[in-house]
C-alpha cells in the first residue's frame, strides 16, 4: 500500500454501523482504512477488495493487547482507534466469526462509555454555561448591545461561543445515540454493519465546510484585520480634511494652545484612534485638550464616530450611546431637536458640559465638549462633518 488519502468522515463518531459500512465500501474502491482523526479518516491506496470492519467500544481510549490478541485469533486484525472506538478488519472471503454474537452482551460494553459521556456532558455544559454567562454580561450588563455589536470586540467571542454550544449539542446527541443503541441491542437488534452513509456524508461535508469557514473568518481573519485597521495618531494641529469636529473650530480663540502632553513623541492629550468592525467598517475616537495662556481655562472635546454597514443600526446606536455616556442615569436629560442636516439629533447641556448624539444615513456621531462656547456652535460643526462622512 502506498499513498495516503484523507476523507471527511460521513457521520458522527458514535454512528457505529455507518462507519463500518463506509470503511467496507471504501475498501472496494482500493482505499483501506489506516487511521482516524477528529474529522478526517486516513486511507492507504491498494488493491480493491471487500473487507469487513467491526468497531469495538470500550470505556477507555486504549484497548488492551489481550483483547487485540483475542480478536486476531478469530480472524479480526486491529486497524486503529478513535475516541473510545477501536476498529478491526477482516477480508470478507475469510468469513471470520462475528466479534459479538449476543447483542445484549455488546450492549453491556456500551455502559461505561455512556456513563463517561454523561460525565463529560455535565462538565462541558457547566463550562459553556459559565462562558455564556460572561458573554451575556458583556453584551447586556451595560444595556448597550448595539454599541457592543458595532465596536466588534464581542462578535468574535460570540461566534466562538456558538461553536461551543454546538459542541454541547453534539455531546447530547452522542449520549442519546449511545443510549438508544444500548436499548436496541438489549432488545436483541444487532448493529447493521452495512447501514447507508451517503446522506450523512453530504450533511457532514456541508457542516464541516461551514464550521471551518466560520473559524477561519471569525477566529483568524476578522481579528487580524481589526488589529491591522486599529491605530492611534497624534492629532495634527491643522487638517480640515479630518472628518471630526476640532476644538479650534468650536473655540475660535487665538489665545488657546493645545495641551502638549507627549510620551515617546506621542501626544496623548490630542489624539485620534481608528478602528474597524464588520458592522462599522469606519470608526474614529478622538480626544483634544487645549489651554488658555492665562492657565485658567482648559476646554476639551471628545468624539466617537461610526460609519455603519446597515442604516437600521443607527437609531438603536444613538440610544446606546446616550445610555453609555450617562451610565444609564439622566439620559432623559437629552433633548431631541430638529435640524435640516441630521436624521436624528439629541443634545444635553449641563453648564460647561455639552453632549451631542446625531445620525445621518449610516453615520452616527457622539460629541462631548467642555468649554464656554455655545451648544449651537458644536451642533453646526457636527453638521458639517457628518455631511462629509455621509457622502464618502
Amino acid at each position: 500500500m502506498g499513498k495516503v488519502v484523507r476523507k471527511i468522515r460521513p457521520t458522527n463518531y458514535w454512528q457505529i454501523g455507518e462507519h463500518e459500512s463506509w470503511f467496507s465500501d471504501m475498501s472496494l474502491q482500493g482505499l483501506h482504512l489506516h487511521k482516524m482523526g477528529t474529522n478526517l479518516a486516513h486511507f492507504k491506496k491498494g488493491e480493491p477488495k471487500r473487507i469487513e470492519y467491526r468497531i469495538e467500544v470500550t470505556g477507555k481510549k486504549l484497548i488492551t493487547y489481550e483483547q487485540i490478541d483475542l480478536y486476531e485469533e478469530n480472524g479480526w486484525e486491529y486497524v486503529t482507534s478513535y475516541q473510545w472506538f477501536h476498529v478491526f478488519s477482516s477480508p470478507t472471503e475469510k468469513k471470520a466469526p462475528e466479534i459479538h454474537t449476543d447483542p445484549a452482551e455488546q450492549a453491556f460494553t456500551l455502559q461505561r462509555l455512556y456513563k463517561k459521556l454523561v460525565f463529560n456532558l455535565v462538565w462541558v455544559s457547566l463550562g459553556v454555561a459559565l462562558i455564556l454567562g460572561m458573554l451575556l454580561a458583556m453584551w447586556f450588563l451595560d444595556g448597550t448591545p448595539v454599541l457592543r455589536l458595532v465596536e466588534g470586540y464581542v462578535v468574535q467571542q460570540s461566534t466562538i461561543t456558538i461553536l461551543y454550544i454546538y459542541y454541547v449539542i453534539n455531546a447530547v446527541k452522542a449520549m442519546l445515540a449511545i443510549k438508544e443503541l444500548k436499548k436496541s441491542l438489549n432488545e436483541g437488534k444487532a448493529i447493521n454493519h452495512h447501514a447507508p452513509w451517503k446522506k450523512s456524508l453530504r450533511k457532514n461535508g456541508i457542516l464541516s465546510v461551514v464550521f471551518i469557514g466560520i473559524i477561519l473568518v471569525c477566529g483568524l481573519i476578522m481579528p487580524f484585520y481589526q488589529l491591522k485597521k486599529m491605530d492611534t495618531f497624534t492629532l495634527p494641529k491643522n487638517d480640515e480634511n479630518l472628518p471630526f469636529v476640532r476644538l479650534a473650530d468650536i473655540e475660535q480663540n487665538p489665545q488657546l494652545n493645545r495641551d502638549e502632553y507627549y510620551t515617546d513623541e506621542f501626544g496623548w492629550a490630542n489624539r485620534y484612534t481608528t478602528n474597524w468592525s464588520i458592522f462599522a467598517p469606519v470608526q474614529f475616537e478622538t480626544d483634544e485638550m487645549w489651554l488658555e495662556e492665562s492657565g485658567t481655562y482648559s476646554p476639551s472635546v471628545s468624539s466617537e464616530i461610526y460609519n455603519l454597514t446597515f442604516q437600521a443600526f443607527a437609531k438603536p446606536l444613538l440610544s446606546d450611546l446616550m445610555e453609555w455616556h450617562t451610565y444609564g442615569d439622566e439620559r432623559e436629560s437629552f433633548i431631541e431637536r430638529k435640524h435640516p442636516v441630521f436624521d436624528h439629533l439629541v443634545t444635553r447641556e449641563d453648564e460647561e458640559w455639552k453632549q451631542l448624539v446625531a445620525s445621518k444615513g449610516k453615520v452616527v456621531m457622539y460629541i462631548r465638549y467642555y468649554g464656554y462656547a455655545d451648544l449651537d456652535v458644536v451642533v453646526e460643526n457636527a453638521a458639517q462633518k457628518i455631511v462629509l462622512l455621509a457622502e464618502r
Side-chain angles (χ1 to χ4, degrees), residues 149-167:
L149 179 73
V150 300
E151 283 177 337
Y153 300 115
V154 192
V155 173
Q156 292 93 322
Q157 296 168 42
S158 302
T159 308
I160 299 301
T161 302
I162 290 171
L163 291 179
Y164 287 144
I165 293 171
Y166 174 78
Y167 181 78

Side-chain angles (χ1 to χ4, degrees), residues 196-234:
W197 50 266
K198 290 183 180 176
K199 187 177 176 182
S200 298
L201 176 63
R202 284 194 291 272
K203 180 182 171 186
N204 219 32
I206 292 170
L207 282 175
S208 298
V209 169
V210 169
F211 280 118
I212 290 170
I214 290 173
I215 291 169
L216 282 177
V217 173
C218 297
L220 294 175
I221 296 175
M222 281 176 56
F224 278 110
Y225 191 71
Q226 192 170 28
L227 282 174
K228 182 182 175 185
K229 300 293 284 187
M230 188 187 299
D231 209 344
T232 301
F233 305 90
T234 300

